[in-house]
Amino acid sequence: MRALRLQDWRSTPELIEVPDPTPGPGQVVVRIGGAGACHSDLHLMEEFEPGTMPWNPPFTLGHENAGWVHALGDGVTGLSVGQPVAVFGAWGCGTCARCRAGVDTYCENPSGAPVPSGGGGLGLDGGMAEFELVPDSRHVVPLPEGLDPADAAPLTDAGLTPYHAIRRSWPKLPPGSTAVVIGVGGLGHVGVQILKATTAARVLAVDNRPEALRLAEECGADRTVISGPSAAEEIRQATGGRGADVVLDFVGTDATLALGVATARTVGDLTIVGLGGGTLAVSFFSVPYEVSIATTYWGSRLELVEVLDLGARGLIRPTTTHFPLENALDAYRQMRDGTLEGRAVIVP
């Protein structure tokens, strides 16, 4: 089969022929119907080097995957060949308390995982190929009726990651509250939809691109703000001077983190989702009183089930552009250049 493989750090992936996978006991081979291209893949290609992660190339890219069950290993139950499924991307040890609860992202025994702190497309072969080998059937999630694999694929990360970030702040998002989304890109525009679908909060979206703000409005944002020197004051005025109950930073640079602090309400949440490499000085007087500041990482298997349900009901629908596998590098070029709207999905 054809597969887009990262052969080494700081290199361009190559589309090459590799053997078709065969499932062992408890494993599943999924015929890929869609594999999302993620901005974090660019970090793998351009920034990481030996020692950055506990794993190294070569491996097939693609950690946002959905398709149809192609083959089942011995002992697998509850799935059938031809069934549409999504792949839960974080693959933990399967035996620690957190993995047993479906939160492999927080696996406490990473040395016992198929690859430490990784998964398909992150140290092991992912879904930018015709088939993907999933090492444990518990990572294969049946799709709800009416959800196509190509539409489901980006929900496994671009949907799951913002959903997890928002879900943890639900108690602070009742009627009368305000949520601010900084960065309306591949994840941020889905975050706006999730906030509107699952909370009663008023949603303000911030970006420096007019086209991104138009997308935010299409996704249901109540107000948009162009980023710049006056953004913090505009957000403060829009919240009656109080600030936002929840700020979700999908960029993560020095400037956006500073904006988050400047606009967060006391006892609010500032959640850093973006991998922009920024830093934030935290001291007693540098942030509003009792603001909770957290990073976030992917989500749980249960949360993925909930995200897929929202997707099947049309409540969240990422803006996507489809690329055939042979043009996958074009998707990454557009992502790098900032010309890609929404999310790219590679369809073998």
Side-chain angles (χ1 to χ4, degrees):
M1 67 174 183
R2 301 173 304 161
L4 186 71
R5 292 178 65 78
L6 185 67
Q7 301 289 68
D8 205 351
W9 297 126
R10 296 180 180 268
S11 70
T12 300
E14 300 177 21
L15 186 61
I16 62 176
E17 290 285 334
V18 298
D20 290 0
T22 301
Q27 299 179 339
V28 180
V29 172
V30 175
R31 178 167 63 89
I32 296 297
C38 182
H39 199 277
S40 60
D41 293 337
L42 292 179
H43 294 288
L44 297 178
M45 300 174 198
E46 300 172 356
E47 300 174 13
F48 286 17
E49 55 190 25
T52 302
M53 300 301 296
W55 34 264
N56 291 294
F59 54 85
T60 301
L61 290 170
H63 57 268
E64 298 183 342
N65 305 311
W68 301 268
V69 174
H70 179 72
L72 300 170
D74 291 343
V76 175
T77 59
L79 296 170
S80 58
V81 172
Q83 183 177 9
V85 294
V87 179
F88 179 60
W91 299 344
C93 70
T95 58
C96 72
R98 289 178 173 175
C99 284
R100 288 183 177 275
V103 195
D104 290 58
T105 44
Y106 307 142
C107 176
E108 295 184 308
N109 178 33
S111 63
V115 60
S117 303
L122 299 168
L124 289 178
D125 290 341
M128 289 200 183
E130 296 171 62
F131 302 100
E132 179 184 18
L133 176 65
V134 182
D136 193 308
S137 62
R138 66 193 178 88
H139 301 313
V140 178
V141 180
L143 292 186
E145 185 176 352
L147 186 59
D148 183 84
D151 295 327
L155 295 177
T156 62
D157 183 1
L160 179 57
T161 295
Y163 182 78
H164 172 72
I166 292 164
R167 196 182 195 276
R168 62 192 299 277
S169 293
W170 275 354
K172 297 184 180 181
L173 294 170
S177 64
T178 300
V180 169
V181 171
I182 302 175
V184 191
L187 270 68
H189 85 284
V190 184
V192 172
Q193 295 179 44
I194 293 168
L195 283 163
K196 299 302 292 186
T198 67
T199 79
R202 190 163 57 122
V203 179
L204 277 64
V206 184
D207 206 291
N208 60 2
R209 300 164 297 158
E211 63 273 17
L213 296 181
R214 287 194 293 271
L215 177 60
E217 291 175 345
E218 293 170 6
C219 292
D222 297 284
R223 181 167 177 170
T224 60
V225 176
I226 193 80
S227 63
S230 63
E233 179 59 27
E234 187 173 344
I235 293 170
R236 283 278 172 188
Q237 290 179 357
T239 58
R242 296 186 300 272
D245 300 88
V246 175
V247 179
L248 300 148
D249 184 354
F250 288 96
V251 183
T253 62
D254 287 348
T256 58
L257 292 172
L259 178 62
V261 168
T263 56
R265 187 179 184 181
T266 55
V267 202
D269 285 351
L270 169 56
T271 301
I272 305 165
V273 185
L275 301 178
T279 58
L280 180 66
V282 177
S283 64
F284 192 90
F285 293 110
S286 69
V287 299
Y289 293 137
E290 298 192 32
V291 162
S292 296
I293 300 172
T295 57
T296 186
Y297 179 56
W298 230 330
S300 69
R301 187 185 188 281
L302 173 61
E303 289 170 332
L304 176 57
V305 172
E306 295 172 351
V307 167
L308 295 173
D309 178 76
L310 292 171
R313 293 161 59 196
L315 295 174
I316 56 175
R317 188 179 299 275
T319 296
T320 59
T321 303
H322 290 184
F323 295 81
L325 185 56
E326 56 268 23
N327 293 342
L329 291 180
D330 291 338
Y332 288 115
R333 290 190 192 99
Q334 291 183 29
M335 191 184 303
R336 185 185 298 109
D337 295 341
T339 58
L340 179 70
E341 183 175 356
R343 206 71 170 173
V345 177
I346 311 305
V347 180

